[in-house]
Amino acid sequence: MAEKVLIYAGTTEGRLLAQELSRAHIACDVHVATEYGQMVMPELAGVKVCVGRLDVEEMRALLKKNGQNNYAAVVDATHPFATEVSANIRESTKGSGIPYLRLQRRMDDGICSIPENEGMKERAGTVHVFADYESCVQALTDTSGNILLTTGSKELGVYSGMEGLKERLYVRVLPGLESIEICEKQGIHAKHIIAMQGPFSIDLNEAILRQFSISCLVTKESGKSGGYLEKLQAAGRTGARAFVIRAPKEEG
């Protein structure tokens, strides 16, 4: 009888689930994409942490290993924006007989009441919402002043590749080697890299915005545990314009 749970993590929710399962004496394997993801996972009884990005075939192979790795359930606790990874996890469980469960971050923070932009207005303290990174980048080209990116390193190339934006970018990323290397490869100057691990309070966000004279804050619609509201409130305090990438809709 399967007793283990397989968790694809990389979020606060994934770590919390692993902690709860450990307390309940339920063994689990936690897969994270990066070494930094492993570093922030606490040592827990009955919890094994594995590092590395898996494609759908590797995920399937993981489920077909010997008996000790037959899982009672597969839990997708990946980031709301990791849509390709979630699709691969769902696909890998098809035909396996192993239940797929989605641990979905709460996103009821009020952003859905804000419509996507029909046009940009040069006004401090406003919130602008976009369906994707590309439309956000295009809108940023019509602004002036320094830009704080809090969307992570993965999509950094979309912004740094746009003429006239790179020199204005300040990038807040996780303090892991992979994130720093991506910033360097994208030509972000060292003094424009803010490598910090959240959560960030309103006051700390505000201090960063003021320290680097930020005119535009770029964030994902990342929910409460992603510090989304604290960013918007800090932007409101400083008069910075907030550029929000709307979360993709979940399947199911």
Side-chain angles (χ1 to χ4, degrees), residues 60 63 87-98 100 251:
R60 284 198 184 104
L63 298 180
N88 286 344
I89 297 171
R90 283 193 300 273
E91 183 64 27
S92 72
T93 61
K94 290 181 179 179
S96 68
I98 302 174
Y100 165 85
E251 288 189 20

Side-chain angles (χ1 to χ4, degrees), residues 203-222:
D203 289 341
L204 182 51
N205 279 312
E206 180 183 357
I208 292 172
L209 292 173
R210 294 192 185 280
Q211 173 68 29
F212 298 104
S213 302
I214 300 299
S215 298
C216 300
L217 165 71
V218 183
T219 179
K220 295 175 181 176
E221 182 193 358
S222 53

